[in-house]
Amino acid sequence: RPYSETYRPQFHFSPAQNWMNDPNGPIWYKGRYHLFFQYNPSGNTWGNMSWGHATSPDLVHWTQQPLAIPQDDTEMVFSGAVVFDKTNSSGLGTHGNPPLVAVYTSLHKSDSVQAQALAYSTDGGTTWKKYAGNPVIDIGSRDFRDPKVFWNAKTRSWTMAVALSAEHKVRFYSSPDLKHWTELSEFGPAGATGGAWECPDLFPLAVDGDPSRVKWVLVVNINPGGPQGASAAQYFVGDFDGKTFTPDDSSTYTPPAGEVIADFEDGTYRSWTTTGTAFGSAPAAGTLPGQQLVTGYQGSGLANSFIDFDASTGSLTSPEFTIDKPYLNFLIGGGNHPISQPDPTAVNLVVNGKVVRTTTGQDGEALDWTHWNVADLAGQKAQIQIVDDNTSGWGHINADQFVLADAPALGSVQRAHWMDYGADFYAATSVNDEPRGRRVVIGWMNSWQYGQDIPTSPWRSADTFPRELALRTVHGKPQLVQQPVQELNILRTGITRTATTVLPDGTDVPLAANGSLLDITATLRAGTAKDFGIKVHTGAGQETRIGYDTATQEIYVDRTRSGASSLSPAFAGVQRAPLTLDSKGRLDLRIVVDTSSVEVYADDGRVVLTDQIFPDPSSNGVSAYAEGGTAHLDSLRAQRLRSAWR
Ligand code: FRU
């Protein structure tokens, strides 16, 4: 049976063989979805980039088609979009048989210049010809890529969003015919800029389902510089008047009001103490005076907010301060300052020599606006400790700000909005001409950090299950919410329900809902537990935890024991996202489980985490757990799914 190899996703699209990255040009056309993708026709790592092709009647069952747009001697075919040119505005088809037109980035092999080019199909997407007048936009740049094109009915023109990757900008163009393009405006830098901006997307969405309140969403994928330090998708909500995108949030970063304990960026910190050997120009152990703590990292051009250590354990400890506000908010890396050198890090809050709060980072992870609720510690004297347990090579902690504040910074002040906090969501792009007016997005379910080393053969990479997007007002602002498209229901084969269960401290409660293809909906409730959640793919000492940390108020996916992980030191880790429980302490979860992935939707899809995992095929148990106290499983419904490849 095809598609039955170990780790082969059973309802996520993956190519039969060879390397895949970004989804390209998804479009609905004449009753079928067409999905193209960055593809190496002759290898299982990145190279020879061409467009692969697959079709589906329902976004669930895919049939791989012959290679659509191959590379050639002069160019590789990078990411882009496909439009249906209904009126034959391009003249590349005929009036009676209008063409599908692909707009892609041509990577010139001779000089690495990236320019925008066209290919077209007059047989419904099966065969493609490159346009003889290519390129259609060439500004001589080596970082100008990934056009997304759509028909703007208001301006009656083709509109393109394309990335100036190194400048952290999206540039907009318009065209009457897909061949001649006029620059409209630029957006950026804004939000997260800790990596290259790639694969932009721009589309309108109704706010709270009200068609009279439409906002525009600009998705900007970024690599690295995501919430875990690697590749990720951020988004901006705003207005697009046909020419200019204006975000609702000001792009300038405003620190939350409150007592600043340390701001390494502008030097308003008091003396911290360090252990371990500091690297480079920083002084060794001892009290670090003023500016010396702030060691500029040679040549990187980034802000002077690094503390570098050599290959040994090091830590930084703040002077004592009194907790007189309910929240402690902080950034370590993230936003504009990712930790560019992989470096396991923990941040502790210490009272009377005891660690009372901790947040652990991991290789390359940024802690972007983590906040601790410290109301229960009011009046206590505390210290902050940043621990770097770098064991090989050198690394640096990039500390930004510690602020005692009246309110959590997250939700009210944010430098970037993340579509997905997991490690494996990138190059998200939405479907053109989706028939039911939905906005459906597909992402690459892999990471540039370790993607070419994942233990799958003869293919590498899958796409995320398609998600339907909406905007919902939360904390007074429209935020992106996502749900797996309802077509997932096609695969349901049976349901298991679990009655209300108390989760005792420290013992797993196995659930009847086992299987490796599942769509789980659960409500958990915090009791006295510090940590609680659901485990999937359990067995043989393996487990993948989807849980909640009440101390840090974060939902997380823990894949440190999920199965094969030696592919990269960056793989085994915990991805976290800020999330406040509701007033009853409840956590609503939807978890979509495939053989080698989990997609976690919390708070009705406002907070999403997508992670690959590589468990043994026999590890297909499901359980619930609580630690540090008891918690409750109020309800759990597990839809068993069947494979889409049968
Ligand atoms: C994103 C990306 C794009 C580029 C393509 C090349 O993952 O780097 O910017 O077009 O992949 O394969």
Side-chain angles (χ1 to χ4, degrees), residues 214-255:
V214 170
K215 283 279 174 192
W216 286 77
V217 177
L218 177 65
V219 173
V220 179
N221 292 274
I222 176 172
N223 174 40
Q228 8 56 21
S231 41
Q234 63 174 325
Y235 71 94
F236 302 88
V237 178
D239 294 303
F240 182 68
D241 62 4
K243 225 184 139 184
T244 309
F245 177 80
T246 312
D248 288 353
D249 281 358
S250 100
S251 58
T252 50
Y253 153 66
T254 327

Side-chain angles (χ1 to χ4, degrees), residues 497-573:
R497 287 195 168 81
T498 303
T500 307
T501 314
V502 176
L503 307 175
D505 183 2
T507 12
D508 283 10
V509 177
L511 304 176
N514 57 6
S516 47
L517 310 181
L518 296 168
D519 179 4
I520 297 172
T521 311
T523 301
L524 292 113
R525 192 156 39 88
T528 53
K530 293 210 160 51
D531 195 344
F532 60 92
I534 305 282
K535 296 181 182 179
V536 300
H537 279 294
T538 69
Q542 299 176 347
E543 60 181 38
T544 297
R545 290 183 180 217
I546 296 108
Y548 190 79
D549 180 334
T550 57
T552 60
Q553 302 188 24
E554 288 168 317
I555 180 172
Y556 64 85
V557 175
D558 179 344
R559 60 176 181 185
T560 54
R561 289 176 297 276
S562 64
S565 65
S566 58
L567 58 133
S568 155
F571 186 81

Side-chain angles (χ1 to χ4, degrees), residues 191-314:
T193 55
W197 278 24
E198 299 183 323
C199 303
D201 195 0
L202 176 70
F203 48 82
L205 268 185
V207 179
D208 299 323
D210 176 352
S212 70
R213 286 166 59 216
V214 170
K215 283 279 174 192
W216 286 77
V217 177
L218 177 65
V219 173
V220 179
N221 292 274
I222 176 172
N223 174 40
Q228 8 56 21
S231 41
Q234 63 174 325
Y235 71 94
F236 302 88
V237 178
D239 294 303
F240 182 68
D241 62 4
K243 225 184 139 184
T244 309
F245 177 80
T246 312
D248 288 353
D249 281 358
S250 100
S251 58
T252 50
Y253 153 66
T254 327
E259 180 190 348
V260 178
I261 296 163
D263 185 339
F264 295 100
E265 204 156 69
D266 68 7
T268 60
Y269 49 84
R270 304 167 201 148
S271 41
W272 287 42
T273 50
T274 180
T275 64
T277 317
F279 176 84
S281 57
T287 302
L288 294 168
Q291 284 302 336
Q292 280 179 296
L293 189 55
V294 183
T295 66
Y297 172 52
Q298 306 92 305
S300 77
L302 291 171
N304 292 336
S305 57
F306 296 120
I307 299 112
D308 293 330
F309 291 96
D310 73 357
S312 61
T313 300

Side-chain angles (χ1 to χ4, degrees), residues 152 155 157 159-160 170-174 182-187 202 239-246:
N152 188 338
T155 55
S157 59
T159 303
M160 176 192 293
V170 175
R171 194 182 270 190
F172 301 103
Y173 286 89
S174 84
T182 308
E183 187 185 332
L184 294 172
S185 64
E186 285 183 353
F187 170 76
L202 176 70
D239 294 303
F240 182 68
D241 62 4
K243 225 184 139 184
T244 309
F245 177 80
T246 312

Side-chain angles (χ1 to χ4, degrees), residues 21-22 38 46 49 78-79 145-146 198-199 426-427 448:
N21 53 287
D22 315 359
Q38 285 292 284
W46 190 89
M49 295 323 289
F78 275 17
S79 287
R145 56 184 176 268
D146 308 339
E198 299 183 323
C199 303
Y426 194 58
W448 281 120

Side-chain angles (χ1 to χ4, degrees), residues 557-635:
V557 175
D558 179 344
R559 60 176 181 185
T560 54
R561 289 176 297 276
S562 64
S565 65
S566 58
L567 58 133
S568 155
F571 186 81
V574 186
Q575 281 77 47
R576 294 166 168 270
L579 182 71
T580 316
L581 298 178
D582 73 8
S583 58
K584 301 207 169 79
R586 278 183 310 217
L587 173 68
D588 286 317
L589 288 178
R590 173 128 182 229
I591 310 169
V592 176
V593 183
D594 200 340
T595 28
S596 59
S597 63
V598 290
E599 286 161 290
V600 178
Y601 298 82
D603 192 14
D604 282 327
R606 191 178 59 85
V607 175
V608 186
L609 296 105
T610 300
D611 269 358
Q612 293 185 91
I613 49 172
F614 301 104
D616 290 354
S618 59
S619 299
N620 59 10
V622 176
S623 61
Y625 66 94
E627 280 168 14
T630 55
H632 306 268
L633 181 63
D634 281 352
S635 69

